[in-house]
Amino acid sequence: MKNEMTVTALQRLPVYINYLKSLDEDVKYISSGAIARALGMGEVLVRKDLAFTSQGRTRVGYMRGELISALEKRLGCNDVKNAAIVGAGGLGSALLAYGGFVNYGINIVAAYDNDAAKIGTQIAGKPVCGMDDLQKSLEENNVTLAVLCVPAKYAQQVADKLLSCGIKAILNFAPVLLQVPQGAVVRNIDVAANLAVLRSLM
Amino acid sequence: MKNEMTVTALQRLPVYINYLKSLDEDVKYISSGAIARALGMGEVLVRKDLAFTSQGRTRVGYMRGELISALEKRLGCNDVKNAAIVGAGGLGSALLAYGGFVNYGINIVAAYDNDAAKIGTQIAGKPVCGMDDLQKSLEENNVTLAVLCVPAKYAQQVADKLLSCGIKAILNFAPVLLQVPQGAVVRNIDVAANLAVLRSLM
DNA sequence: TAGATTGTTAATCGATTAACAATC
DNA sequence: TAGATTGTTAATCGATTAACAATC
């Protein structure tokens, strides 16, 4: 299993996983051509993306279950990783309650917020913690991955604090380009921008 | 102002807008080089992206306010467009309350849901409507743009209904590849997949 | 066997960057 | 003027697709 894979290709793995899981249970094997047609992609690209799994069998295709497992393994879904939601507003609360992360071996353990009215409460069964003694709390919860759902205005300063307390990767929903030190990883999701781009494609 | 612009380039326009708006008010002019450094991009790419605005002045750069206006105009932020949130669960409710869409001239007018307990109520001052007589309701609200926040299981069937009732573009949060007819536009945001990809980049 | 399918090498396509003339 | 900056043409880089040998 070779490990050189571009981010572009990596991003397609969840797409394959979702599609493969959506198939009827009695679909045991599937070819690159069938996947490509279903997803509107070129079949060579599908084969190239899936080649690392060594699951392809000539004349047969890929065994669905094994392929899903191999893709999940490549994405790191096997070793469960804890994550925290930072900012327990509307979006943060919704993500706390969202069950979709477990599919990728991600365990949302807590939210962090500095609203005294929220601290100590639970949302969707998960505790809302304060931001004092953040480092200790993150260590106790074994969290190095954060989802940042604070207002844009505070995003950079909260990110700075998170990174200084041991967070290594941030999924950022604020429409702000975070400045982070070498070694930290950030991905951005700007919902409003996505909707604006969609509108201009109508 | 030329109009041939790839989706790739189009997606960068909100990034420029956000950055330019974040600058101190007394920054009147800015060069492509300064923008590039701030955003970690190549400066030629910035110039290419901004050339359509005809705002660049040699030796001077771009006048910030005019540049923002030109970018907003290109994105279509000027003619305000109505949109609906479909699925008034946690995520849908959070998006109803989110104020960031107005920056792009998008007006969230209502939510749609088929939970009788929610229909007729308001969330963040916006009405939650039922899905009966959807076509009429969408027409009355003048909505052709929808944000789909229903569980994956129902995403395709709800999308079908939306499209049959006049919706032309869907921002889809369900981890499902929607099958839509020619002419309809879809963009997908899979939050869990994004977090999984981020994790595997740590 | 013949035919369907994989994986890889070479070619193409599209996006970014380099080079540079134009301008103020 | 000299120097800073733009916009565009040509070159490069990276990702996708075409061609094809290998295989069962």
Side-chain angles (χ1 to χ4, degrees):
Chain A
M1 195 204 282
K2 289 170 206 159
N3 233 30
E4 4 103 357
M5 181 176 255
T6 63
V7 176
T8 326
L10 196 64
Q11 291 182 126
R12 285 191 291 263
L13 301 192
V15 178
Y16 295 126
I17 292 174
N18 285 330
Y19 171 65
L20 293 167
K21 284 186 173 176
S22 78
L23 293 174
D24 202 272
E25 204 192 328
D26 60 4
V27 178
K28 302 296 185 196
Y29 291 91
I30 189 162
S31 71
S32 57
I35 296 173
R37 273 188 301 280
L39 300 179
M41 308 170 56
E43 61 176 281
V44 182
L45 184 57
V46 173
R47 280 204 291 281
K48 205 161 222 179
D49 282 346
L50 303 185
F52 80 90
T53 66
S54 309
Q55 290 295 319
R57 283 212 281 149
T58 190
R59 277 266 313 167
V60 175
Y62 305 80
M63 193 171 164
R64 187 169 69 101
E66 299 297 312
L67 183 54
I68 293 173
S69 298
L71 293 170
E72 287 177 336
K73 185 178 173 198
R74 177 64 185 78
L75 263 179
C77 303
N78 292 338
D79 68 315
V80 173
K81 196 142 191 100
N82 290 338
I85 306 291
V86 180
L91 180 58
S93 301
L95 295 179
L96 270 177
Y98 180 55
F101 298 114
V102 293
N103 294 324
Y104 297 104
I106 290 166
N107 180 29
I108 308 288
V109 294
Y112 288 88
D113 201 298
N114 56 15
D115 179 346
K118 289 174 183 164
I119 296 169
T121 66
Q122 292 204 337
I123 297 175
K126 310 273 172 73
V128 181
C129 310
M131 303 280 285
D132 301 338
D133 220 348
L134 183 62
Q135 181 154 13
K136 191 174 156 228
S137 176
L138 290 172
E139 275 169 17
E140 281 171 4
N141 284 327
N142 191 25
V143 169
T144 55
L145 181 57
V147 182
L148 190 57
C149 306
V150 303
K153 195 176 168 184
Y154 305 112
Q156 182 66 59
Q157 71 186 67
V158 174
D160 291 344
K161 183 159 186 184
L162 291 172
L163 293 164
S164 76
C165 293
I167 292 293
K168 301 290 184 225
I170 297 176
L171 184 62
N172 171 41
F173 280 88
V176 168
L177 196 81
L178 298 177
Q179 305 294 326
V180 301
Q182 261 266 319
V185 199
V186 174
R187 275 176 80 86
N188 299 294
I189 298 181
D190 185 336
V191 177
N194 264 278
L195 194 53
V197 170
L198 176 68
R199 186 257 301 270
S200 82
L201 294 174
M202 284 176 83
Chain B
M1 193 203 283
K2 288 168 209 160
N3 235 30
E4 2 102 358
M5 182 174 254
T6 62
V7 176
T8 327
L10 196 66
Q11 292 183 126
R12 286 190 292 264
L13 302 192
V15 178
Y16 295 127
I17 293 174
N18 285 330
Y19 171 65
L20 293 167
K21 283 185 172 176
S22 78
L23 293 174
D24 201 273
E25 204 192 328
D26 60 4
V27 177
K28 301 296 185 195
Y29 291 91
I30 188 161
S31 71
S32 57
I35 296 172
R37 273 188 300 282
L39 299 179
M41 308 170 56
E43 60 176 281
V44 181
L45 184 58
V46 173
R47 280 204 291 282
K48 205 160 222 180
D49 282 345
L50 303 184
F52 79 92
T53 66
S54 308
Q55 289 295 319
R57 283 211 283 149
T58 189
R59 276 266 313 164
V60 174
Y62 304 80
M63 193 170 164
R64 185 167 69 101
E66 298 297 313
L67 183 54
I68 292 172
S69 299
L71 293 170
E72 287 177 336
K73 185 178 173 200
R74 177 62 184 79
L75 262 179
C77 303
N78 293 337
D79 69 316
V80 173
K81 195 141 193 95
N82 290 339
I85 306 290
V86 180
L91 180 59
S93 301
L95 295 178
L96 269 176
Y98 180 55
F101 298 113
V102 294
N103 294 323
Y104 296 104
I106 290 166
N107 182 28
I108 307 289
V109 293
Y112 289 87
D113 202 297
N114 57 13
D115 178 346
K118 289 174 182 164
I119 296 169
T121 66
Q122 292 204 339
I123 297 175
K126 310 272 170 71
V128 181
C129 309
M131 303 280 285
D132 300 337
D133 221 349
L134 183 63
Q135 181 154 13
K136 192 174 156 228
S137 176
L138 290 172
E139 274 169 16
E140 281 171 4
N141 283 328
N142 191 27
V143 169
T144 55
L145 181 57
V147 182
L148 190 57
C149 306
V150 302
K153 196 176 166 183
Y154 305 112
Q156 181 65 59
Q157 71 185 67
V158 174
D160 291 343
K161 182 158 187 184
L162 292 171
L163 293 163
S164 76
C165 292
I167 291 294
K168 301 289 184 225
I170 296 176
L171 184 61
N172 171 40
F173 279 88
V176 168
L177 195 81
L178 298 177
Q179 304 295 326
V180 302
Q182 262 266 320
V185 199
V186 174
R187 275 176 80 86
N188 300 294
I189 298 181
D190 185 336
V191 177
N194 265 277
L195 195 52
V197 170
L198 176 67
R199 187 258 301 269
S200 82
L201 295 173
M202 284 177 83

